[in-house]
Amino acid sequence: MNKHICSMALAVSALLGAALLSGCNDVSTELKAPTYKTNIKADETRMSAFKAEFPDQYASYQKNNESEVMTDYKGSIAYHKNDNVNPLPKGFKHAQPYLKNLWLGYPFMYEYNETRGHTHAVEDFVNIDRLNRYGADGKGLMPATCWNCKTPKMMTWIKQYGNDFWSKDVNEFRGKDKIDAKEESISCSTCHDPQTMELRLYSEPLQDWLKRTNQDWNKLSRNEKRTLVCAQCHVEYYFTHPDNGPKLRPVFPWDNGFNPEDMYQYYKGHGKKDANGKPGPFADFVHAASKVPVIKMQHPDFETFQDGPHGAAGVSCADCHMPYQRVDGKKMSSHWMTSPMKDKEMRACRQCHADKTPEYLRQRVIYTQQKTFDQLLKAEALSVKAHEAVRLANSYDGERAADYDALMTEAREMVRKGQLFWDYVSAENSVGFHNPAKALDTLMTSMECSQKAVDLAGQATHYGIAPALAGDIEKIVPPILEMSRKLQQDPEFLQKNPWTKLLPVLPKADQVWDGQERLTSTK
Amino acid sequence: MGTPRNGPWLKWLLGGVAVGVVLFGVLAYAMTATDQRPFCASCHIMQEAAVTHKLGTHADRSCNECHAPHNLLAKLPFKAQAGLSDFMGNLSGKDVPYPASVTTRDVVNENCKACHAQTNVNVASMNAKPYCVDCHRNVAHMRHKPISTRTVAYE
């Protein structure tokens, strides 16, 4: 009994002492992130290996599986981004109807959907129609570089194959024996050193860029790292032309700057070398209607954001997309990377904008998004008209202007530039919010270029093509709602739209891959 | 006959005064100590507020120079009540309230005026905006700075 009282008294005094001691120490302003020493292997790429030691972060990450909620312009239902006709989950009221037309002749005309959480990355990858699933040889007709931003398994593969990896066929790594779709999707080791859990880069192209610009990851601030781990993937990129380096190695085209004009100038080089050894203009594909060599933009989230109102002020991606939250009394970063607009309370925003109501903040986001989206659709329609003008002028039989060739060269250049500009905005995932002024300015310039292309093509034909372009562009070139690798095997289907008519008929073939399953045996 | 000069009642009186003085001293000390950053920051949840306080222009003022009434009669019950609710809130896993309650904002605002009255004596600076920090926004714990400059995760 006595002993019990003694130990009680001891415990109470120890507690009081601890409270007093802690009450005497002032805070440190150093803000040291917690450090860890795990029992996880240095080259671990499976998600579940992290579960036991980091259950809260793991549980938070599993929230990325949610794929039912839509916001005003975004969300996580993987609808077809060109389909504004069908209801969800196939289409959505705020879709871009001309996308298939604008990417005619490029795999993006087959399928391009709204994104979902990181946990679905590999699953969505093996189900997309952009990768060929009809080749008797099983080939995807795309490079293995396509895996680059889908899985931390990249580290294993690059170690194994080096620069030979990139130009292998994408489908060589598709099977279940090569990758575990759930376990090895984007996850912990994409951003963390498994042994210390410190932020780290696995990305080859981002490390290349740091090297090119003389930056050392270990000397960067925690704040910069909270953006750069995302910039491993949420960026515009291209595949190296074999004349200029390791074939199909991914590159971030940032040497001239991050803006659309900078990239447009960058892509005047880095293509196939001419006889004198000088690289010509780069092209992702030749548009099947206008024959213009086009640049494809891909999700330039980082480039758009970094000089916007938030980015320029040093706010990081993680500030809004990984807000701190209290779980089990512990404060931790949310690992549910999704639309901040899903939260009714807009908590992520109100860590800074504490004096604003959620409704006010939401309306300010939509204020930008609505304007951006409306102008984007107009820029895309005008871009279609520009392609059509060049197409008509290409085969114009009437009397041509004396400087027809020069005018057409310039017209094609303007189609290419106009398309790069609207795609920079379209492919970016914030619908203007990450950088409102840049988004709207870029769309305006896009329309200016596309209109110039229409004018120049008209001039080149002494306006002989003008009557064919008069009127509603949606009647002249109707949006292509449906198109897939399977449908392109059907000559009758291709006759239904004036632009799909221009596509070659693909040979009749059965589907060879279904997700990760090989349907026919290897020949 | 009169009372003896060194009677027991004098000992009691002097002893009582001495105890009273010591007790008063302890209370005054405790009252001051619990106004200050090291005490407030002894709960992890107050780290962000404490760090941004220490980095800010008001670092050498105590927390309660802003966060409690200066008037002692108002301050004593205010501190007791706020302390109790913060203690219970922290125990039950509640987060720091964002935004601060109307009561706290009113108290803080009165204290802005208490120290900075002279600066504002010739202007109607309390007319357009309800709170001083509506313009002097980063006085509210550097809220517009990137998250990583204010806080870290802890276990």
Side-chain angles (χ1 to χ4, degrees):
Chain A
M1 187 64 197
N2 243 352
K3 217 173 152 191
H4 188 68
I5 291 173
C6 265
S7 61
M8 275 288 276
L10 202 72
V12 167
S13 55
L15 213 73
L16 273 172
L20 268 173
L21 271 179
S22 67
C24 293
N25 288 334
D26 198 1
V27 289
S28 157
T29 51
E30 253 185 88
L31 288 174
K32 279 212 175 103
T35 53
Y36 301 94
K37 198 139 182 54
T38 72
N39 295 312
I40 305 165
K41 288 198 310 251
D43 57 352
E44 185 58 75
T45 53
R46 288 167 308 128
M47 199 186 313
S48 65
F50 294 80
K51 186 179 179 182
E53 293 186 57
F54 302 97
D56 294 331
Q57 285 83 353
Y58 186 86
S60 171
Y61 198 73
Q62 295 311 310
K63 288 192 186 156
N64 290 299
N65 283 320
E66 177 272 308
S67 28
E68 289 85 36
V69 180
M70 288 305 286
T71 63
D72 294 86
Y73 288 91
K74 299 292 291 180
S76 25
I77 299 180
Y79 75 94
H80 299 313
K81 285 188 65 145
N82 71 305
D83 186 344
N84 64 350
V85 175
N86 292 299
L88 283 165
K90 211 174 161 209
F92 185 52
K93 58 185 171 175
H94 292 141
Q96 302 162 51
Y98 267 134
L99 291 182
K100 286 184 191 288
N101 299 64
L102 289 161
W103 295 326
L104 201 73
Y106 199 51
F108 273 85
M109 74 171 165
Y110 298 126
E111 192 173 4
Y112 171 59
N113 306 330
E114 180 60 291
T115 53
R116 299 197 286 168
H118 286 150
T119 47
H120 295 289
V122 171
E123 183 192 338
D124 289 346
F125 183 72
V126 297
N127 285 309
I128 198 85
D129 198 36
R130 289 208 291 278
L131 309 180
N132 186 32
R133 294 167 296 170
Y134 298 88
D137 55 3
K139 291 212 165 149
L141 306 181
M142 300 285 267
T145 320
C146 295
W147 286 103
N148 185 52
C149 270
K150 306 292 172 202
T151 171
K153 191 110 196 226
M154 281 303 297
M155 290 176 282
T156 317
W157 290 335
I158 290 300
K159 199 181 270 175
Q160 192 175 349
Y161 301 104
N163 270 331
D164 292 343
F165 172 79
W166 314 107
S167 51
K168 290 179 176 293
D169 188 82
V170 63
N171 283 354
E172 272 189 49
F173 304 90
R174 179 190 269 264
K176 283 192 170 137
D177 55 327
K178 292 292 191 319
I179 186 163
D180 185 325
K182 275 281 157 225
E183 280 276 56
E184 290 171 320
S185 189
I186 300 162
S187 62
C188 317
S189 52
T190 304
C191 302
H192 292 282
D193 180 326
Q195 296 194 303
T196 62
M197 297 314 277
E198 277 171 23
L199 292 180
R200 70 112 176 252
L201 301 182
Y202 87 103
S203 162
E204 295 283 325
L206 190 62
Q207 290 177 43
D208 288 348
W209 176 71
L210 288 178
K211 217 175 281 169
R212 287 206 301 281
T213 51
N214 288 319
Q215 298 186 73
D216 179 357
W217 177 253
N218 297 315
K219 291 190 185 133
L220 293 178
S221 68
R222 181 167 141 252
N223 200 46
E224 289 166 293
K225 291 177 183 176
R226 280 163 60 87
T227 289
L228 285 178
V229 286
C230 310
Q232 297 187 99
C233 294
H234 289 256
V235 295
E236 151 64 7
Y237 63 88
Y238 72 100
F239 300 159
T240 305
H241 189 280
D243 286 359
N244 304 316
K247 191 179 175 189
L248 301 172
R249 186 178 172 91
V251 182
F252 299 164
W254 298 345
D255 296 357
N256 289 2
F258 296 117
N259 286 318
E261 178 68 34
D262 302 326
M263 292 190 185
Y264 170 68
Q265 294 299 336
Y266 178 96
Y267 284 124
K268 285 188 170 170
H270 303 276
K272 187 178 164 50
K273 280 186 177 159
D274 63 15
N276 302 322
K278 189 175 170 283
F282 187 86
D284 280 300
F285 71 105
V286 173
H287 193 275
S290 65
K291 307 297 176 196
V292 170
V294 174
I295 300 292
K296 179 80 188 72
M297 287 287 115
Q298 282 100 186
H299 40 70
D301 299 340
F302 167 73
E303 298 93 320
T304 297
F305 162 81
Q306 49 78 36
D307 61 346
H310 286 95
V315 176
S316 72
C317 303
D319 286 7
C320 309
H321 291 281
M322 302 183 72
Y324 280 119
Q325 53 182 17
R326 228 180 173 207
V327 176
D328 274 349
K330 294 179 220 160
K331 191 172 74 176
M332 56 166 263
S333 291
S334 162
H335 279 63
W336 184 18
M337 295 87 165
T338 187
S339 167
M341 296 277 276
K342 282 182 189 167
D343 178 11
K344 241 183 111 185
E345 294 299 318
M346 302 285 274
R347 271 168 287 228
C349 314
R350 293 167 78 212
Q351 300 173 100
C352 299
H353 303 286
D355 56 337
K356 301 292 191 296
T357 64
E359 201 37 47
Y360 174 87
L361 293 163
R362 185 180 309 282
Q363 287 312 319
R364 291 309 299 175
V365 175
I366 295 172
Y367 179 84
T368 294
Q369 290 185 326
Q370 189 178 2
K371 290 169 178 58
T372 305
F373 188 78
D374 291 352
Q375 295 305 318
L376 173 63
L377 293 193
K378 290 181 203 166
E380 287 173 353
L382 196 51
S383 186
V384 168
K385 191 174 177 184
H387 279 289
E388 179 69 358
V390 168
R391 183 183 81 85
L392 292 170
N394 280 342
S395 55
Y396 185 64
D397 296 334
E399 196 197 328
R400 295 176 168 189
D403 51 352
Y404 172 89
D405 288 330
L407 289 168
M408 286 305 289
T409 304
E410 185 56 14
R412 290 186 188 103
E413 199 57 40
M414 286 297 109
V415 172
R416 170 177 155 106
K417 185 172 179 180
Q419 174 142 357
L420 185 152
F421 272 57
W422 67 252
D423 208 359
Y424 184 98
V425 178
S426 165
E428 206 272 338
N429 286 299
S430 71
V431 200
F433 178 72
H434 285 156
N435 195 338
K438 178 152 82 181
L440 289 169
D441 176 64
T442 302
L443 290 175
M444 195 61 238
T445 305
S446 166
M447 286 191 253
E448 190 187 8
C449 294
S450 298
Q451 183 58 50
K452 197 127 191 231
V454 175
D455 295 348
L456 288 161
Q459 214 181 328
T461 58
H462 285 314
Y463 300 98
I465 61 168
L469 286 171
D472 190 354
I473 190 66
E474 287 203 33
K475 298 227 169 64
I476 303 164
V477 183
I480 303 166
L481 179 62
E482 303 277 354
M483 172 49 74
S484 67
R485 287 191 189 264
K486 188 77 206 165
L487 288 169
Q488 203 185 340
Q489 296 173 13
D490 177 1
E492 274 172 45
F493 173 83
L494 293 183
Q495 289 305 309
K496 288 181 186 167
N497 180 295
W499 273 21
T500 54
K501 243 187 243 182
L502 307 168
L503 292 169
V505 181
L506 293 178
K508 279 256 173 274
D510 288 327
Q511 195 167 335
V512 166
W513 284 101
D514 179 18
Q516 293 186 279
E517 298 288 349
R518 184 85 191 237
L519 299 175
T520 57
S521 59
T522 323
K523 273 167 209 160
Chain B
M1 91 178 218
T3 37
R5 305 187 91 179
N6 53 355
W9 67 270
L10 190 63
K11 283 184 190 161
W12 279 107
L13 182 69
L14 288 178
V17 166
V19 167
V21 166
V22 168
L23 200 65
F24 183 80
V26 168
L27 283 176
Y29 176 78
M31 204 57 187
T32 315
T34 54
D35 276 346
Q36 302 200 14
R37 186 169 62 228
F39 175 77
C40 297
S42 61
C43 283
H44 269 298
I45 197 165
M46 281 293 165
Q47 294 286 309
E48 180 179 347
V51 165
T52 49
H53 176 225
K54 196 173 177 182
L55 290 170
T57 46
H58 291 93
D60 60 346
R61 309 283 94 196
S62 77
C63 300
N64 276 347
E65 199 98 30
C66 296
H67 281 274
H70 289 179
N71 179 320
L72 197 61
L73 283 179
K75 181 174 185 167
L76 291 173
F78 183 90
K79 271 187 79 171
Q81 198 196 357
L84 201 66
S85 74
D86 282 356
F87 180 72
M88 293 313 289
N90 194 28
L91 267 190
S92 62
K94 263 198 196 153
D95 214 332
V96 179
Y98 275 148
S101 70
V102 175
T103 320
T104 293
R105 280 192 279 175
D106 287 344
V107 166
V108 170
N109 206 55
E110 283 310 308
N111 291 337
C112 298
K113 294 193 271 179
C115 296
H116 298 286
Q118 279 309 312
T119 313
N120 291 284
V121 78
N122 287 323
V123 281
S125 45
M126 273 342 291
N127 289 10
K129 303 275 186 183
Y131 298 107
C132 300
V133 295
D134 289 340
C135 293
H136 301 272
R137 294 189 298 177
N138 273 326
V139 173
H141 293 281
M142 305 186 164
R143 206 160 260 162
H144 289 109
K145 290 207 154 192
I147 301 290
S148 71
T149 61
R150 291 150 38 186
T151 185
V152 283
Y154 57 80
E155 292 280 290

